[in-house]
Structure formats: C-alpha cells, structure tokens
Amino acid sequence: MTDTATLDRARKALGEHAWREAYKSLSALDADGSLRAEDLERLGEAAWWSARPKESLDAFERAHAACLSDGNVRRAAFVAIRLANEYLERRDSALWNGWVRRAGRLLEDQPEGVEHGYLELELSRGVALLGRGSLDESMERSKRALDIGTRFGDET
C-alpha cells in the first residue's frame, strides 16, 4: 500500500517544480514496487529534471509496461513516444526506431487522437535529426501533427 501522504507530497512537489524533493519521495515509494503507471511517469519526469537520465528512462519504461498491463493502450503509446523522444535526443537511432514503431503499432487500431499527433511530430523530428526521410516528408508530418493537435485542442 502506497503511503498516501508521501505520494501527495511528491505530487505537490512536482507541481511546484521541486524536482529533487519529488524524486526523493517517489523513489522511496517506488522501492516497494507499488507505484501505479501515472506515478511511474511522474517519477520519470522528476528523475529527468533532477539530472538522472538512466533512472528517468527506467521509470518511463516501467510506466509503459504498467499502462499496457492496465489496458491503457493510448497512454502506453504516449509513453512510448516520450521514450522515443529521449532516445532521439541521444541520437540512438535503433532505440528511437523501436519505440516509435511500438507507439505506431499500439495506435494503429485506435481512433485518431492527440497521441497520433505526437507520433507524427516525433516522426518529423526523426526525419530532421536522424535523416530518416526527406525535408518534404518532415514538413508533411509536422503539418499533420499540427492539424491533429488543433482538432483535439492540444496545440503543444
């Protein structure tokens, strides 16, 4: 059973961008393996902002698995896109490709949603940063991402 007060404190710390405090609290709770998918994502975020890239990737990978275990395919795809983005930043094309493909497979039978836009954006970035296609393809994917985001009210 997760310590509710510690979890509330960690969530509050995240909201205040107190990354190290959030990381410390979430890590303590994670030691017993009781964090749910969304809190594993929070742990990944806190680790990232606390300059703990290895721990961040580990938390996001476990969040992805937890989303799948919970049957939350769309969120699992979103986390896979986040992981792809992290590997793209590291210029690790093999892991980027694996996570992008995983996200694509998860979304192929889902009704269009913001996750599809984020996937298009990630693919556009891959074209630009890894040379995985033409500039025209990158622009088309970016336009599709913007269109999807606009239609679903998520223009980030």
Side-chain angles (χ1 to χ4, degrees), residues 90-111:
R90 289 167 174 73
R91 301 302 192 266
D92 188 328
S93 61
L95 287 172
W96 173 81
N97 191 52
W99 284 108
V100 161
R101 287 180 180 269
R102 183 175 297 186
R105 282 191 307 271
L106 290 169
L107 290 174
E108 66 188 5
D109 294 329
Q110 298 292 315

Side-chain angles (χ1 to χ4, degrees), residues 51-114:
R52 291 173 157 72
K54 181 181 179 306
E55 293 86 348
S56 177
L57 290 171
D58 175 66
F60 280 118
E61 287 176 8
R62 291 185 298 126
H64 172 76
C67 288
L68 287 176
S69 179
D70 293 345
N72 192 344
V73 174
R74 294 181 87 82
R75 193 65 195 177
F78 183 83
V79 175
I81 294 164
R82 169 66 191 256
L83 283 159
N85 183 62
E86 293 301 323
Y87 286 111
L88 180 63
E89 293 297 323
R90 289 167 174 73
R91 301 302 192 266
D92 188 328
S93 61
L95 287 172
W96 173 81
N97 191 52
W99 284 108
V100 161
R101 287 180 180 269
R102 183 175 297 186
R105 282 191 307 271
L106 290 169
L107 290 174
E108 66 188 5
D109 294 329
Q110 298 292 315
E112 188 174 65
V114 295

Side-chain angles (χ1 to χ4, degrees), residues 22-49:
Y23 177 77
K24 182 179 174 184
S25 295
L26 288 166
S27 292
L29 292 170
D30 188 41
D32 70 6
S34 64
L35 289 182
R36 295 182 358 211
E38 61 268 13
D39 290 314
L40 286 168
E41 282 187 67
R42 289 179 177 107
L43 175 60
E45 192 72 25
W48 192 89
W49 286 105

Side-chain angles (χ1 to χ4, degrees), residues 87-142:
Y87 286 111
L88 180 63
E89 293 297 323
R90 289 167 174 73
R91 301 302 192 266
D92 188 328
S93 61
L95 287 172
W96 173 81
N97 191 52
W99 284 108
V100 161
R101 287 180 180 269
R102 183 175 297 186
R105 282 191 307 271
L106 290 169
L107 290 174
E108 66 188 5
D109 294 329
Q110 298 292 315
E112 188 174 65
V114 295
E115 299 85 359
H116 292 84
Y118 282 107
L119 180 59
E120 288 294 334
L121 185 58
E122 189 61 30
L123 289 166
S124 172
R125 293 182 73 237
V127 167
L129 295 175
L130 297 175
R132 296 288 175 105
S134 68
L135 181 58
D136 287 340
E137 179 188 351
S138 179
M139 293 298 294
E140 282 305 310
R141 288 189 179 284
S142 293

